[in-house]
Amino acid sequence: MSWERVCHLDDVPREGGVVALVQGEAIAIIRTHAGNVYAISNYDPCGRASVLSRGIVGTRGEIPFVASPLHKQAFDLRTGQCLDDAAVRVPTYDVRVDDGSVLVGPLAAG
């Protein structure tokens, strides 16, 4: 997967998200209160629905997370690891902001 421009940074609310379709995958673009931007699968494997872009954004200690709006499982935005169930993880993608545009790249390593 190459880098793909998906939206303008101003389209992503602080402590919120939007969903982008990137090469057939629904990806949640999440922006934290601090302004950091993450790209994570939009699919919540616990609730079995594409809803993570509408989740609650926050932190647990130093870990930025999004909590599913369905059953409230929290996912580490950096790694995709579910903070409430070690057996569950969602894919994350490389993401960067260039000239005010959000670009999504390949699946992140890990």
Side-chain angles (χ1 to χ4, degrees), residues 87-104:
V88 178
R89 182 182 209 120
V90 296
T92 59
Y93 297 84
D94 290 333
V95 64
R96 71 177 196 234
V97 177
D98 281 347
D99 289 331
S101 293
V102 178
L103 292 92
V104 174

Side-chain angles (χ1 to χ4, degrees), residues 31-110:
R31 187 174 178 193
T32 65
H33 177 74
N36 297 319
V37 178
Y38 298 92
I40 188 170
S41 172
N42 194 45
Y43 185 73
D44 170 6
C46 301
R48 298 183 180 175
S50 291
V51 295
L52 291 181
S53 65
R54 306 188 96 183
I56 300 165
V57 179
T59 57
R60 281 190 189 172
E62 300 296 318
I63 301 172
F65 73 87
V66 61
S68 172
L70 295 177
H71 301 295
K72 309 300 185 243
Q73 283 88 1
F75 296 89
D76 185 331
L77 290 168
R78 303 166 302 175
T79 66
Q81 180 64 53
C82 180
L83 301 176
D84 304 308
D85 185 343
V88 178
R89 182 182 209 120
V90 296
T92 59
Y93 297 84
D94 290 333
V95 64
R96 71 177 196 234
V97 177
D98 281 347
D99 289 331
S101 293
V102 178
L103 292 92
V104 174
L107 276 170

